[in-house]
Amino acid sequence: MLQGPCVSTDTACSSSLVSAHLAASAQAARECGSAVAAGVNSLLWSKTTVKISALQALSAVGRCKTFDASADGYGRGEGFVAAVLTQLSQTLGEAGTALAVVCGSAVNTAGRSSGLTAPYGPAQQDVLRAALAEAGVAPAEISNISMHGTGTGLG
């Protein structure tokens, strides 16, 4: 049976990551033993597509080319992802397999910026430092990183 905090988040591009952060934080605070972090994107409102098109954020070819010099936007799609988070000791004690370990996480906001798709470097640096501090990890110890990019020239 699932019980404990149940929170819906809408943080645009980062909703799934914020969901995972909240789940891991609830576990660290011993608010729950296991947590489900999930994210979904449904293309329900045509007005959203019109507005994103006006921002010139959609790729003319419908394909995201993040970090590519020819990046011209991203392709919208629907999807769902869910992950069950448990305490590592619980997972290993039940002869389970841990697919990943969350050592630390952090969230923040840049506040007012020059635009919806404009990254704000100092805030991004701050949240990375906070996550590393939470995990007790030095930057030199990082061997792999997962990134998000809009696929636009600015992003």
Side-chain angles (χ1 to χ4, degrees):
M1 171 174 48
L2 295 175
Q3 61 185 35
C6 180
V7 180
S8 175
T9 61
D10 184 356
T11 60
C13 297
S14 63
S15 297
S16 296
L17 291 172
V18 171
S19 173
H21 169 77
L22 293 173
S25 296
Q27 283 190 300
R30 302 283 188 222
E31 295 173 351
C32 59
S34 297
V36 178
V40 64
N41 186 51
S42 297
L43 305 178
L44 302 174
W45 308 105
S46 59
K47 288 182 181 182
T48 302
T49 301
V50 170
K51 288 181 181 182
I52 292 172
S53 295
L55 287 173
Q56 297 180 335
L58 295 179
S59 169
V61 296
R63 191 169 150 250
C64 187
K65 297 174 274 186
T66 305
F67 309 119
D68 189 307
S70 66
D72 66 345
Y74 71 98
R76 295 190 77 204
E78 295 184 310
F80 172 83
V81 65
V84 177
L85 285 77
T86 60
Q87 294 292 328
L88 184 59
S89 58
Q90 176 187 344
T91 300
L92 297 177
E94 295 172 356
T97 301
L99 299 177
V101 177
V102 178
C103 297
S105 65
V107 297
N108 76 353
T109 182
R112 187 179 182 111
S113 71
S114 61
L116 177 66
T117 62
Y120 183 64
Q124 291 177 337
Q125 292 170 9
D126 289 346
V127 78
L128 285 171
R129 285 187 187 106
L132 290 170
E134 172 73 19
V137 174
E141 296 177 77
I142 302 297
S143 62
N144 187 24
I145 189 165
S146 177
M147 301 181 72
H148 163 75
T150 59
T152 63
L154 177 62

